[in-house]
Amino acid sequence: MARASPSDQRMILDAALAEYHAVYGLAQYRLNALDRRIPLIGGLLTAFLGSVPVLPEPTQLLALIAVPISLIWLVRTTINHARSFEDALRRIEHQEHLINDRIGADVMGFQRSHPSKGSTVGGRTGRESVIAVMIAAGSLLMVCWVMSTQVISDPRMTGGMSLMYAGIAMMLIRPFLGWRTYDYTAQGRPQKNK
């Protein structure tokens, strides 16, 4: 294979740096979502649930259905952000290796030498955000169940709501288990460089 000319090498390096900056921007977006937007949405759901006792009875029932269903979205969104953050971090690491190889010197290495690399999907921020959202979702689901037993007088309806809450709990646990075993390399992307 012929060695690339200096101008070709420069174009390759420029392209790698451009991708590095673009992926770094994506990582910042995912980090912002995990740090700020997700907790804000969880807080809004909690505040909305707190208003349920003052709502008219039919609206209480709707709220006790809507909040748990929205928890599915909250958990899945948080996990998706954490996985995408992991993808971006691993791609940044890959680009650091590629750039260092092209230059022939160890000039970039933040992600490939980061202390939390590979310890959890999405790093420390991803782990903390997902666990916090899971705890909040579980707590809100439990509060909804308790409130439903106080709001609904028909035992069949209470049983049906309990089954719905159990189903939602399973829908919250399933993506969490998938997140814990997520592997960037298993998704057909670049191998992790050691």
Side-chain angles (χ1 to χ4, degrees):
M1 177 181 266
R3 181 151 170 85
S5 70
S7 64
D8 289 343
Q9 286 280 19
R10 182 64 198 176
M11 285 181 13
I12 292 168
L13 184 58
D14 287 345
L17 284 169
E19 181 181 358
Y20 177 86
H21 291 299
V23 175
Y24 214 91
L26 176 62
Q28 288 175 321
Y29 169 76
R30 298 298 182 185
L31 183 62
N32 183 46
L34 288 167
D35 275 348
R36 293 187 181 100
R37 287 183 21 206
I38 302 296
L40 176 66
I41 294 166
L44 289 173
L45 286 173
T46 303
F48 179 69
L49 188 59
S51 70
V52 167
V54 298
L55 296 173
E57 193 170 316
T59 310
Q60 287 178 339
L61 183 59
L62 288 175
L64 292 172
I65 293 171
V67 169
I69 289 172
S70 64
L71 293 174
I72 297 167
W73 170 82
L74 177 63
V75 166
R76 291 180 63 89
T77 300
T78 303
I79 288 170
N80 284 338
H81 278 295
R83 285 191 339 212
S84 293
F85 186 50
E86 175 71 12
D87 293 347
L89 294 177
R90 296 297 66 85
R91 186 63 188 177
I92 288 168
E93 177 189 347
H94 175 78
Q95 288 302 100
E96 288 174 351
H97 280 284
L98 181 78
I99 291 166
N100 287 342
D101 288 346
R102 287 276 172 204
I103 293 174
D106 194 17
V107 296
M108 300 181 85
F110 180 74
Q111 282 307 321
R112 64 188 175 85
S113 62
H114 198 276
S116 71
K117 178 183 123 181
S119 64
T120 186
V121 177
R124 294 179 295 225
T125 301
R127 178 186 61 224
E128 295 300 321
S129 296
V130 169
I131 290 172
V133 165
M134 287 299 295
I135 290 169
S139 300
L140 286 171
L141 191 60
M142 183 63 74
V143 168
C144 285
W145 178 73
V146 169
M147 290 175 91
S148 73
T149 62
Q150 295 170 355
V151 169
I152 302 168
S153 56
D154 182 357
R156 291 176 299 182
M157 183 75 158
T158 303
M161 292 290 281
S162 295
L163 283 174
M164 180 191 76
Y165 293 143
I168 289 173
M170 296 306 295
M171 293 175 81
L172 297 177
I173 292 169
R174 186 171 178 239
F176 176 74
L177 295 175
W179 164 77
R180 293 185 63 215
T181 60
Y182 178 77
D183 184 8
Y184 175 75
T185 58
Q187 304 304 313
R189 295 179 180 92
Q191 291 291 327
K192 292 180 185 176
N193 295 315
K194 301 293 182 195

